[in-house]
Amino acid sequence: GMLMGASLAQAETTRFYELEGFEVLLNGNPESTALTEDGAIVLPPESSEWFADPAATFSAATMWGDEVVVARVDTGKVVAINKKGEEREVFKPEETIVTSMLVAGDDLLVAAAPPGRIYRVKQDGTSEVFYEAESVYVWDMALGDDDSVYLALGEPGVIVRVEKDGDAEPVFISEQEHMRSVAYDADYGV
């Protein structure tokens, strides 16, 4: 005959730990964990260093094709970083700082200041002035319908719609000195 035996596996019971304030959580080492909005502690998304330059500070960033495009504060240049982490110069505006970037079709719109000016940069590296704002800063840009672009301006704080041919009209004039962001939705508007 054959004798079969089975052992019972004991499952671990659920344990609850109540935190007495956020300070208790900060005492731990959070390097290998992430905290969700509902308080669950989970494994974080996988990440790896892809590009590092300790001297660089970026004022704006976006994706353009397969590359990440960033505006460097130290040099004032707009550079593209490819999948290998290699950097190449895309554009250098005359102005002091790049405040915003937006991909429009195949082109990259680069807002620089002061004064507030937007350049249209082509994939081949050529560029032209797309729009000169009657403000000091272009803080943000959003694509609208019919290839239009909405701008959030500073000094003064205005939201402007710019058509693809460069014609512009204000759509919202605030009493604020700066409008820092803008979003557009076909149903909800600006």
Side-chain angles (χ1 to χ4, degrees):
M2 185 187 277
L3 182 64
M4 294 185 65
S7 64
L8 294 175
Q10 293 293 321
E12 179 68 31
T13 58
T14 303
R15 295 185 207 181
F16 293 95
Y17 179 70
E18 214 167 295
L19 298 178
E20 296 177 14
F22 193 65
E23 297 81 18
V24 176
L25 185 68
L26 294 179
N27 286 338
N29 182 353
E31 284 181 13
S32 63
T33 58
L35 189 63
T36 66
E37 62 188 18
D38 58 358
I41 297 174
V42 297
L43 290 173
E46 186 178 332
S47 63
S48 60
E49 188 172 284
W50 162 66
F51 176 82
D53 184 346
T57 303
F58 304 127
S59 61
T62 191
M63 288 294 297
W64 192 22
D66 287 343
E67 297 177 305
V68 173
V69 182
V70 294
R72 293 182 66 118
V73 175
D74 55 347
T75 62
K77 294 177 182 177
V78 174
V79 296
I81 304 166
N82 66 19
K83 290 180 180 179
K84 296 178 183 174
E86 300 163 338
E87 180 181 339
R88 69 176 174 88
E89 183 176 337
V90 172
F91 178 67
K92 170 110 172 59
E94 298 172 20
E95 294 74 20
T96 308
I97 188 168
V98 171
T99 54
S100 178
M101 292 189 294
L102 176 71
V103 174
D106 292 334
D107 301 335
L108 178 68
L109 298 180
V110 178
R117 187 174 291 140
I118 300 172
Y119 298 91
R120 181 182 294 277
V121 181
K122 304 278 186 189
Q123 289 278 359
D124 63 9
T126 60
S127 64
E128 62 186 13
V129 174
F130 169 64
Y131 178 70
E132 294 200 38
E134 294 178 15
S135 293
V136 178
Y137 300 98
V138 179
W139 288 120
D140 195 18
M141 298 182 282
L143 288 176
D145 51 8
D146 301 325
D147 295 326
S148 65
V149 179
Y150 288 95
L151 311 177
L153 305 177
E155 294 184 27
V158 180
I159 301 292
V160 172
R161 177 185 164 111
V162 182
E163 302 300 332
K164 61 183 169 186
D165 61 7
D167 287 345
E169 64 173 313
V171 293
F172 179 72
I173 299 171
S174 76
E175 294 180 14
Q176 306 297 316
E177 196 67 20
H178 296 275
M179 296 298 289
R180 292 300 306 253
S181 62
V182 63
Y184 173 79
D185 180 83
D187 293 327
Y188 295 107
V190 176

